[in-house]
Amino acid sequence: MSKAQVKMFENIGVLVVFFFLLGIGIVFYSNYQSQSLAVEQKKLLELRSLQLAEQMYNLPELDCHYGSVRIASCIDSMKLGIFQTLINNKKENYFDLFANSKISIKEIHPREKTEILLYEEKPLEKTVSRVYKIPVIIFDATKQDEHCAGQLGKCSLAILDVTYYEQR
């Protein structure tokens, strides 16, 4: 074998090692990128579900007022019943706001009652979901024999359960 052939085999060996290391680097980089992408998708899911919970929590269709002052963390029970009927009749009007989600309220004190399902729309494909549970007060103005937040009516503690579904 001549010196030229040995040099050529050395160059080919160096190139093989170089491309082998380059391939390993590309594999590790792509794994890192896919993990970073998964973390970002999870953050976006949490952000969207938190936005949905906040929108539901602050809906003017459900809030309580004492005069002209809004009572924080309060849902009017009469408005809740009307809103439930409205959503059942016109679910398509709220799809832009609530998208693929499940929104329910469950009274937990003074006695536990059944869950009131306000809205539910699940996507057809496989999904991931994020749940937010927000404590709220349900105010019932028809119960005039009790006092709540300085006015006549009954207050009950409830959980507003907002589940957001995202397609994979």
Coordinates of all heavy atoms in Angstrom, one line a residue, residues 2 12 34 49 69 75 86 96 109 139-141 168:
S2 N 0.5 2.2 -0.8 CA 1.3 3.4 -0.9 C 0.9 4.4 0.2 O -0.1 4.3 0.8 CB 1.2 4.0 -2.3 OG -0.1 4.5 -2.5
I12 N -10.8 9.1 5.2 CA -12.1 8.4 5.2 C -12.5 8.0 6.7 O -13.6 8.2 7.1 CB -12.1 7.2 4.3 CG1 -12.1 7.7 2.8 CG2 -13.4 6.4 4.5 CD1 -11.9 6.6 1.8
S34 N -37.7 18.1 21.4 CA -39.0 17.6 21.6 C -39.5 17.7 23.1 O -40.6 17.9 23.4 CB -39.1 16.1 21.1 OG -38.2 15.3 21.9
S49 N -56.3 26.9 30.1 CA -57.3 26.5 31.1 C -57.5 27.5 32.2 O -58.7 27.7 32.7 CB -57.0 25.1 31.6 OG -55.7 25.1 32.2
V69 N -72.7 47.3 43.9 CA -71.4 46.7 44.2 C -71.5 45.2 43.9 O -72.3 44.5 44.4 CB -71.1 47.0 45.7 CG1 -69.7 46.3 46.0 CG2 -71.0 48.4 45.9
I75 N -71.9 33.6 43.1 CA -72.8 33.3 42.0 C -74.2 33.3 42.5 O -74.6 32.7 43.5 CB -72.4 31.9 41.5 CG1 -71.0 31.9 40.9 CG2 -73.4 31.4 40.4 CD1 -70.5 30.6 40.4
L86 N -80.2 28.6 29.4 CA -79.7 29.4 28.2 C -78.6 28.6 27.5 O -78.6 28.4 26.3 CB -79.2 30.7 28.7 CG -78.6 31.6 27.6 CD1 -79.7 32.1 26.6 CD2 -77.9 32.8 28.2
D96 N -67.4 29.5 21.3 CA -66.3 30.4 21.1 C -65.6 30.8 22.4 O -64.4 30.9 22.5 CB -66.6 31.6 20.3 CG -67.0 31.3 18.9 OD1 -66.5 30.3 18.4 OD2 -67.7 32.1 18.2
H109 N -71.3 23.0 51.1 CA -71.7 23.3 52.4 C -72.9 24.2 52.4 O -73.0 25.1 51.6 CB -70.5 24.0 53.2 CG -70.8 24.3 54.6 ND1 -70.8 23.3 55.6 CD2 -71.1 25.5 55.2 CE1 -71.1 23.9 56.7 NE2 -71.3 25.2 56.5
F139 N -75.4 32.4 46.2 CA -76.3 33.2 46.9 C -77.7 33.0 46.4 O -78.0 33.1 45.2 CB -76.0 34.7 46.8 CG -77.0 35.6 47.4 CD1 -77.0 35.7 48.8 CD2 -77.8 36.4 46.7 CE1 -77.9 36.5 49.4 CE2 -78.7 37.2 47.3 CZ -78.8 37.3 48.7
D140 N -78.6 32.7 47.4 CA -80.1 32.4 47.1 C -80.9 33.5 47.7 O -81.1 33.4 48.9 CB -80.4 31.0 47.5 CG -81.8 30.6 47.1 OD1 -82.5 31.4 46.4 OD2 -82.2 29.5 47.4
A141 N -81.4 34.4 46.9 CA -82.2 35.5 47.5 C -83.6 35.1 47.9 O -84.3 35.9 48.5 CB -82.2 36.7 46.5
R168 N -54.8 16.3 21.1 CA -53.4 16.0 20.9 C -53.1 15.8 19.4 O -53.9 15.4 18.6 CB -53.0 14.7 21.6 CG -52.8 14.8 23.0 CD -51.4 15.3 23.2 NE -51.2 15.7 24.6 CZ -50.0 15.8 25.1 NH1 -49.0 15.6 24.5 NH2 -49.9 16.3 26.3

